[in-house]
Amino acid sequence: MTSVQGTAVDIPTEDGVADAYLAHPADGLPRPGVLLYQDAFGLRPHLRSMADRLAEAGHTVLVPNVFYRHGRTPVFDLPEFIDTDSRPDLWDRIVPVMQSLTPQLAMRDAGAYLGWLAESPLVADGPVALTGYCMGARLSLLTAGTYPDRVAAAAGFHGGRLATDTPDSPHLVAEHITAELYFGHADEDPSLPPEQIRLLEDTLTKAGVRHRCEVYPGAHHGFTQADTAAYHAEGDERHWAALLDLLKRTF
């Protein structure tokens, strides 16, 4: 197993400084870069462990706090095990912060994250890969379409609202994407109903985007997050297999 080093880093943006977690093989050699987008609960120990696992596989992984405008990590006071059914008050704090991160702001930040990776001596030259969870899946899709020359592959898992009828729906960037995409959908996810799954698939196909979209049976929204009540072990392992396979093909 590859030894991994994890450190806290700061990334200057047009609107301030985003704190982030960086994981990479401890040998310090430049490795293919991966930008990991958080879910709604933010940068926390579980996401750091996910970054470490990707680093063990030979990548340099950046996990930014995309909510940095509301403070450094931890933005929210979360329990060690997150169960929103028993703590519905969590959403009262999280939803307004999520809604404040507009696609325009998020993509302005994405340019800073990608620029930081491009300048890091720990990242190999060339395009990077993306992976995102819940709201991070939307950010992954948007980033792939906004910065096509910087992204070689993008994945998203249990993403919500990926293909809506709003003018800023993420699926509308499909015509600009040159990366290979993979999406793992939860089959019990009200934030991504079957009609949105079909629209996303049809739009990517029409745009000629290399992609694969799969629905994970028995999985709920958030199934990859082991520190939450939504965790689904079988779906999580399937997610890791699909993600690592995508990265292997990419790099």
Side-chain angles (χ1 to χ4, degrees):
M1 184 177 294
T2 303
S3 178
V4 168
Q5 182 175 341
T7 56
V9 297
D10 285 341
I11 302 173
T13 75
E14 292 186 35
D15 299 321
V17 176
D19 56 300
Y21 178 71
L22 183 72
H24 59 89
D27 59 17
L29 297 175
R31 303 298 180 100
V34 177
L35 175 58
L36 192 159
Y37 279 124
Q38 65 176 64
D39 63 358
F41 300 124
L43 179 53
R44 59 194 192 281
H46 177 63
L47 288 188
R48 294 184 183 94
S49 71
M50 295 180 75
D52 289 348
R53 183 165 175 174
L54 287 172
E56 288 174 357
H59 304 94
T60 294
V61 188
L62 181 69
V63 191
N65 166 23
V66 303
F67 295 150
Y68 71 89
R69 292 176 180 84
H70 298 268
R72 297 179 68 87
T73 302
V75 177
F76 309 114
D77 181 18
L78 298 171
E80 187 173 338
F81 182 77
I82 304 168
D83 183 356
T84 55
D85 287 340
S86 62
R87 287 285 307 278
D89 60 294
L90 288 174
W91 290 124
D92 294 337
R93 288 174 282 158
I94 293 172
V95 170
V97 174
M98 287 178 59
Q99 293 175 338
S100 71
L101 184 64
T102 64
Q104 293 76 18
L105 290 177
M107 290 305 96
R108 195 157 74 202
D109 293 342
Y113 305 148
L114 292 171
W116 192 93
L117 285 168
E119 295 175 3
S120 172
L122 295 170
V123 179
D125 293 338
V128 304
L130 317 171
T131 185
Y133 303 87
C134 301
M135 60 167 281
R138 293 199 302 275
L139 299 181
S140 184
L141 179 55
L142 285 168
T143 303
T146 305
Y147 300 95
D149 59 329
R150 307 289 293 277
V151 179
F157 299 90
H158 45 81
R161 299 182 57 79
L162 296 178
T164 71
D165 58 2
T166 61
D168 59 358
S169 176
H171 79 289
L172 296 176
V173 304
E175 62 182 311
H176 305 295
I177 294 174
T178 58
E180 180 178 351
L181 305 187
Y182 177 89
F183 287 97
H185 306 307
D187 74 341
E188 300 180 29
D189 189 348
S191 71
L192 194 73
E195 58 269 23
Q196 285 197 37
I197 293 176
R198 287 193 297 270
L199 179 56
L200 175 63
E201 176 83 25
D202 291 346
T203 304
L204 293 175
T205 299
K206 184 178 180 180
V209 178
R210 292 169 297 152
H211 71 280
R212 185 175 180 183
C213 298
E214 297 183 313
V215 177
Y216 289 26
H220 294 265
H221 184 80
F223 65 81
T224 63
Q225 304 300 297
D227 61 346
T228 75
Y231 183 65
H232 184 266
E234 182 179 347
D236 184 33
E237 284 309 307
R238 182 176 174 183
H239 133 261
W240 278 112
L243 177 58
L244 292 174
D245 183 60
L246 176 66
L247 296 178
K248 184 177 180 180
R249 293 198 306 275
T250 302
F251 300 122

